Amino acid sequence: MKILIGLAALAGLTVSAQPTAKDRLLERIEAIAVSEPPVLGIDTQIRTAATLASKDPDLAERWLQAATSRALPLVDLHTRGEFLIAIVDQYRHLDAEAAEQICSLLPRRASGAKEDPLAKCYHSLFSTKRSWEGEKALTRRALSAGAFLSPEIRGHLERSIKEHPEECAAEFAVIVEGFPSSDASPQERRHLLDMANLIRKREPELAARARKLAESKAKAAGAGTEEDLEKKQVLGEEKPPIEGLATPERIALARKQAPSMEVEMLLEVMDGEKELSMPQRIAIAYEALEVTPKIKAGDERLVSQSMLARRLYDYGDRAKAAVAAQMLAESFEKFYNCETAACVTFEGDSSPGEVINDFAEYLRENKIQPEDLGLRHKSLEARLLILDLQQSLGIEKKRFSFF
């Protein structure tokens, strides 16, 4: 019950008679993490725990306890859910029981709610290898908690059909029993119908009962509900074909694209066209820089502006490089200072800390010091220190790539 009873503060983690390099790094990261706004500080603590997990699991667990204690009071359910799921993803490798306790702290899906962090959390628990009896017990606990929409509920039924056919009827009966028939959403009804179809040839009567349950009152939802529940896939912007085009034609084509694609294509012209003079390169770089404020807030804009600041500096135009660095600093502060809603909530599947981490990896890989770009930001410093920690522990990181 260590998660439910008195989650300890992250104090005194790095005390030793003669602090090692790891101790000193952890002390600095801790000092920043506790002073960051919640959505950044919690992210820092989770990342530090993930770095420590393979080398010092006990210490990693204590960092996760600290992150949990900060995430639980968050009012916004989406933000709280995403953090707790990220914590569970680390915890399940260290302490499966504690991981499930954290999932159980999430509320059941409210009637009409589009999100179901509880189901998503329990879904992650199934990825830990366990016996068939252990999986059956977890399935029952997940259903009892209200995680009917977990995709692994269907996965459990599939495994029962293929590997334990003598038990599949009993397992499906348990799933039907866990169906929230009183306030089931269209998505939950589809989930049950899908599973009923899996078992209809083997257990036709049970499947028919499940279909009847799923279809009851299904038409009560208002028009457009199905569309609202389906997440639209945002397809990446396709680069137009440029083969055979002369440089002026490529630049003209780039100017017709959406801002992020325009910047990417102009960068490719700068880096790939050897016949361009230095004044031409500077002019193209500055043109691209003026487009960057139109790029949606996030790592795409930050990396674009830092790339262009670096290009202008390398091209020898210090004045324009200084303008680029100032734009970058303003973008960074606009996205991540504590006057914005991002201090306590965020939208999407990843926290603002993910964007800052991507940016830190970009700077480190390209050997750029934040000070060279006019950046002074403690959350960026924390993630650079985590990269130092990974290096000190001998943990290899994949190469960062953007464009």
Side-chain angles (χ1 to χ4, degrees), residues 97-116:
E97 183 181 348
E100 190 170 342
Q101 288 174 7
I102 293 172
C103 282
S104 70
L105 297 175
L106 285 163
R108 289 173 177 260
R109 179 193 62 80
S111 180
K114 295 180 182 179
E115 285 195 69
D116 194 342

Side-chain angles (χ1 to χ4, degrees), residues 126 132 135-136 139-140 151-161 171 175:
F126 280 86
W132 175 243
E135 182 179 316
K136 288 198 298 183
T139 299
R140 283 154 176 76
E152 274 300 324
I153 300 297
R154 183 187 194 277
H156 175 71
L157 178 61
E158 289 178 329
R159 284 186 287 277
S160 73
I161 294 171
E171 292 309 298
I175 292 171

Side-chain angles (χ1 to χ4, degrees), residues 28-37 41-42 44-45 63 70 382:
R28 290 171 64 191
I29 294 169
E30 179 192 353
I32 294 174
V34 297
S35 67
E36 289 179 287
I42 297 168
T44 298
Q45 291 167 326
W63 278 82
R70 292 185 75 182

Side-chain angles (χ1 to χ4, degrees), residues 48 87 156 159 197 200 284 312 314 335 351 358 362 366:
T48 305
I87 291 168
H156 175 71
R159 284 186 287 277
N197 287 332
R200 61 185 172 84
I284 294 171
L312 289 165
D314 290 343
F335 302 157
S351 77
D358 286 348
Y362 165 79
N366 289 278

Side-chain angles (χ1 to χ4, degrees), residues 127-183:
S127 59
T128 302
K129 191 174 181 180
R130 62 188 76 233
S131 67
W132 175 243
E133 292 301 318
E135 182 179 316
K136 288 198 298 183
L138 176 59
T139 299
R140 283 154 176 76
R141 292 196 300 272
L143 290 167
S144 177
F148 183 81
L149 270 180
S150 169
E152 274 300 324
I153 300 297
R154 183 187 194 277
H156 175 71
L157 178 61
E158 289 178 329
R159 284 186 287 277
S160 73
I161 294 171
K162 293 177 182 177
E163 301 170 20
H164 305 275
E166 72 284 357
E167 296 186 58
C168 67
E171 292 309 298
F172 187 57
V174 168
I175 292 171
V176 173
E177 183 70 23
F179 178 68
S181 54
S182 61
D183 64 343

Side-chain angles (χ1 to χ4, degrees), residues 324-346:
Q326 181 60 36
M327 289 173 68
L328 174 62
E330 289 173 357
S331 292
F332 214 97
E333 289 304 315
K334 180 180 179 182
F335 302 157
Y336 305 116
N337 68 33
C338 208
E339 296 175 1
T340 67
C343 280
V344 292
T345 65
F346 64 85

Side-chain angles (χ1 to χ4, degrees), residues 14-79:
T14 57
V15 175
S16 63
Q18 292 182 333
T20 64
K22 181 184 84 169
D23 294 333
R24 288 191 291 271
L25 284 168
L26 287 172
E27 186 177 357
R28 290 171 64 191
I29 294 169
E30 179 192 353
I32 294 174
V34 297
S35 67
E36 289 179 287
V39 297
L40 297 176
I42 297 168
D43 180 89
T44 298
Q45 291 167 326
I46 296 171
R47 288 181 189 282
T48 305
T51 299
L52 293 168
S54 62
K55 306 292 184 179
D56 193 338
D58 290 340
L59 188 55
E61 191 168 350
R62 292 169 69 185
W63 278 82
L64 288 175
Q65 288 172 359
T68 305
S69 68
R70 292 185 75 182
L72 285 175
L74 294 174
V75 174
D76 181 65
L77 179 58
H78 170 79
T79 305

